[in-house]
Amino acid sequence: MRHVKYVFVTGGVTSSLGKGIIAASLAKLLQAQDFRVTIQKFDPYINVDPGTLNPYEHGECFVTEDGAETDLDLGHYERFLNVNTSQANNVTTGRVYKSVIEKERQGEFLGKTVQVIPHITNEIKQRMLLLGNSGNYDIIITEIGGTVGDIESLPYIESVRQLVWELGKANVVVIHLTLVPFLASSGELKTKPTQHSVKLLMESGLIADILVCRSDRPLGKDIRHKIALFGNVNAKDVIESIDVCTIYDVPIKMLEEGLDVQVLKKFNLNPTGQVDLSQWKDFLYRIKNPKQRIKVGLVGKYVELTDSYKSILESFIHAGAQLETQVDVQFIHSEDIDKQSAIDLLQSLHGVLVAPGFGSRAIDGKLIAIQYVRENKIPFFGICLGMQMAVIEYSRNVSGFVNADSTEQNSKTDFPIIDLMTEQKSIATKGGTMRLGSWDCQLVAGSTVASSYNSLAIKERHRHRYEINNDLVGQIKDDNFRIVGTNPKTDLAEVIEVSQHPWFVGVQFHPEYKSTVSQPHPLFVSFIEAGISYKQNI
Ligand code: GLN
């Protein structure tokens, strides 16, 4: 039987070097050689999952098919590989401790003192091997969040060290991602931070097999030699990762640098020599050579940190590539929108997306933006909270229910057109308790969305507590405002459309989680198409 192979990606020097993109790029190259590969991320923070994190802390929370609230890097994995991840692909220190403590309470370790080593490290190792044991994969790539040297990372690094020993060198490869900065004052690239980082890793007992070096310019032969010598690796194992204009260039760069070949050699696996990236290159060509551009506004309250909307932004890139269109996204803080500023902020746009969100801050700006684009017939796409706001806006300004509101923002409203779902009413805890993951939705034939999907039965991912109130929505529905998608089992309204408008769609689910490079999401494609024709007709 062939052994499952494990790649671990650690990071040094600073955070945000792009371990997730390197991991996803390597996975892409291995997948293109017919290896069955998946990626998982281990995060050293104590939250059980990122679901309770404010987007400002850690960017978007990505939701998987099986309803796990995960790190945004899992979004990259899915977008690069076009395969689904799951709850098992994202583990945090909080989850590890929770499970060890629960076992302790059940008496599993009876008589023993429960300690970081071996109990926490055993739990980590077991989770690191879980997907490998499923028989579904040849290679598992595990990204260790954080930076080597962080106190929080130590149990993870120690677990990898033990796995190298237990599984043998031929089955485990350690990639260390570091920074090689250019010092303007001396006019040189500096290798010392990399040397220190490798040393720090060694102090924890782990030897890097491959060093991926982020830099803003080519490393050159001498620098590569120096890094190899002091980093204790072969020259070919010094991989340059130069800054590129799009993350989608990284697999091509890694192919040129031979990252996949070096990894496979260490596993005694034969590189096929044929890495078919033709589709990927075609996609890259399309994003770099657009035939037209449109301007789309993204209205939200977390726009200062664009990572909060990562999947939406990537969905625009995927859909734009399909339509050979560059989508210039203008971030608009909903706090900045009032009746007066709406005109200046929105009038030159070819489409407006009102983003998901929580709470009551900066809600009014969203409602004003929606009224403006509805009345001025600018294509509109509302996602989750964005859809809920569109329903409130229509109820107030068209149907005449001036007090219409969501109980999330105003619990005392006498027209709660958006209300807490019944099953949510008894839930008091916050973590992992929303309506999450993939649910069926039945679309109405002849609707804009049905023609976008070219199907009437769809499945989309969710993350919400509130819903359209079916007891009241009958009073809103008219010839123009329609519910065109419902959950077939619960009758929960999932999709709304407003007609007499070029494109006005709101969805309770999150289509952005399912857009990938090879399968742009049909609703994003349709929205961009509407933006293109809107631009052509003004
Ligand atoms: N806050 C809203 C709800 O919980 C919308 C959530 C979202 O936009 N993801 O229903």
Side-chain angles (χ1 to χ4, degrees), residues 7-12 148 157 160-161 164 169 172-178 194-213 227-239 259 262-263 266:
V7 177
F8 291 93
V9 182
T10 60
V148 165
I157 303 294
V160 178
R161 186 198 68 74
V164 176
K169 277 304 296 170
V172 183
V173 163
V174 176
I175 296 178
H176 189 56
L177 182 62
T178 77
T194 296
Q195 295 180 38
H196 280 297
S197 181
V198 171
K199 209 171 144 198
L200 212 52
L201 196 63
M202 276 181 175
E203 279 170 16
S204 312
L206 208 55
I207 295 174
D209 299 297
I210 294 174
L211 296 174
V212 175
C213 305
I227 294 173
L229 179 65
F230 294 112
N232 221 14
V233 297
N234 296 322
K236 280 193 171 164
D237 293 325
V238 177
I239 304 287
L259 177 61
Q262 292 311 107
V263 168
K266 292 184 197 306

Side-chain angles (χ1 to χ4, degrees), residues 469-514:
N469 186 342
N470 274 341
D471 293 341
L472 298 179
V473 76
Q475 299 178 57
I476 307 300
K477 280 196 259 182
D478 60 23
D479 288 347
N480 287 336
F481 180 97
R482 296 193 303 149
I483 305 288
V484 293
T486 39
N487 178 302
K489 285 207 184 89
T490 63
D491 213 29
L492 190 143
E494 299 273 16
V495 190
I496 61 122
E497 274 182 25
V498 172
S499 47
Q500 305 296 321
H501 191 282
W503 207 92
F504 193 106
V505 172
V507 291
Q508 182 60 75
F509 48 75
H510 291 262
E512 71 274 21
Y513 294 143
K514 281 178 74 164

